[in-house]
Amino acid sequence: MVDRRTVLAGALMLPVAARAERWDAIVDPRTGTLGKALEQAAQAGGRPFRILVRAGILVEKLTVTVPNVTIAGDGYGAILSYGTYAGMQHADGGIWGTGRTATLTIAAPGVTLRNLTIRNSFDFIGAKRDGAGNGAQAVALMIRAEADRTRVADCQIEGYQDTLYIQSRSWLSGCRILGGVDFIFGGGAAWIEGCEIVTRFVPGADTSGYIAAPSTPAAQPFGLVFHVCRLNREPGVPKRSTWLGRPWRAGGNMALTGQAVFVQCVMDAHIKREGWTWMGYKGPDGEQRRLTPQEARLFEIGSRGPGAGPTSPTRRMLSAGEVANFTRTNVLDDWDGLAG
């Protein structure tokens, strides 16, 4: 017998075959909101709570604050979009900083995202053209330090500057991540596998930016690890215009020596031969300094394609013995459900 329970998600009321589909809430962007479904999840007391999002655009800025929530879309056509950027004025009179700009923020453990598009819709190109904004940082997805064990599968994550901010253990697979400036960044330990990393075209830009900007604590053995990924570019992005990344010493914190590693990745011709570059920071004495690739932990091994480059002081290769340590189990510290 079909279970005819009715599931409420905002204004949406749909009959759900709960046993067959196992959704606790279904959101139709035409009539409901993901925010309402997350309010339901908050009432579930931390038990696993599954939300299905139908195709369409949800213009919402949200934070997941309860654990063990799964948000799954019908596909990339299930779009969560918002346009906040760093430097804009908040309704309370304050100024938005990078960490508050995210379209979707994960702030609880055990959250899973699948088959979604998560987009920061800020007009980066228009702001650059008009001299507006401050750069401008505009995060699509932020995974905060308290979010431990975030799983992101088969999602499209769209932005330009600071697209994906990772501050805790995260496992991403089969995703498409788009950006230009430091667009995969943060101090979390992340295993990023089988993803397409796309550098975006910005008219008139001197360079096409930096892929990774790790701020990994020196005491933390692993940072941003890209495994069997594809580094591609939008039409118009020139050859040899994009850095693999640069180490971010956030706030001048001397305990941060960013780690990022590309393992067996295919790189298009937009990647610079030098690979990595420095990033500036203000030291404890207030003087402006540079954190160089040689001081940080930036490596690769087994790169293929026209963007693969020779070993150099700024483009260092792991040995076979060193790369053996870079497994999903090691990077993610063998969290429960790792094989799922």
Side-chain angles (χ1 to χ4, degrees), residues 55-329:
I57 299 178
L58 292 162
V59 181
E60 299 181 69
K61 178 177 169 59
L62 299 169
T63 300
V64 180
T65 58
V66 292
N68 305 317
V69 171
T70 294
I71 306 172
D74 279 343
Y76 286 171
I79 301 169
L80 183 64
S81 179
Y82 210 79
T84 310
Y85 62 92
M88 74 179 293
Q89 190 169 25
H90 187 265
D92 64 10
I95 300 298
W96 290 94
T98 302
R100 296 180 65 191
T101 64
T103 299
L104 181 63
T105 298
I106 309 302
V111 172
T112 296
L113 308 174
R114 295 183 185 276
N115 300 316
L116 298 164
T117 291
I118 304 164
R119 173 187 298 158
N120 191 307
S121 60
F122 167 63
D123 184 8
F124 180 88
I125 291 176
K128 297 286 277 187
R129 180 193 63 228
D130 301 336
N134 71 337
Q137 299 87 354
V139 178
L141 174 62
M142 181 174 185
I143 302 171
R144 285 172 40 173
E146 61 268 38
D148 192 46
R149 295 175 291 108
T150 299
R151 182 77 171 95
V152 185
D154 303 315
C155 289
Q156 179 153 301
I157 307 168
E158 301 177 9
Y160 278 88
Q161 182 167 345
D162 295 1
T163 303
L164 173 60
Y165 193 175
I166 302 174
Q167 288 290 78
S168 62
R169 285 189 299 173
S170 304
W171 174 11
L172 294 88
S173 64
C175 294
R176 191 167 188 257
I177 307 166
L178 298 92
V181 181
D182 304 327
F183 65 98
I184 303 173
F185 71 113
W191 181 261
I192 303 168
E193 65 176 338
C195 292
E196 183 183 13
I197 314 298
V198 182
T199 295
R200 307 193 77 169
F201 174 63
V202 177
D206 295 332
T207 69
S208 295
Y210 318 83
I211 293 172
S215 57
T216 323
Q220 183 175 302
F222 300 104
L224 306 177
V225 180
F226 300 84
H227 182 255
V228 196
C229 291
R230 303 177 310 282
L231 278 53
N232 291 332
R233 53 179 167 156
E234 289 186 339
V237 174
K239 293 182 179 180
R240 309 299 180 203
S241 65
T242 304
W243 299 97
L244 290 175
R246 53 184 181 172
W248 177 34
R249 186 158 273 169
N253 184 346
M254 301 299 288
L256 303 179
T257 57
Q259 190 206 63
V261 176
F262 288 87
V263 179
Q264 303 292 337
C265 293
V266 178
M267 303 180 179
D268 202 353
H270 61 305
I271 300 301
K272 286 179 174 284
R273 300 287 284 179
E274 301 89 342
W276 307 88
T277 189
W278 58 271
M279 191 171 189
Y281 70 96
K282 188 173 289 187
D285 56 5
E287 294 296 320
Q288 197 66 29
R289 302 182 184 181
R290 294 181 177 183
L291 180 60
T292 67
Q294 294 89 333
E295 296 172 280
R297 296 172 287 164
L298 310 175
F299 297 96
E300 62 188 287
I301 188 170
S303 300
R304 294 174 289 130
T311 301
S312 71
T314 59
R315 195 161 192 178
R316 297 175 293 175
M317 305 294 161
L318 293 171
S319 69
E322 289 169 330
V323 77
N325 293 319
F326 286 85
T327 65
R328 189 171 66 195
T329 298

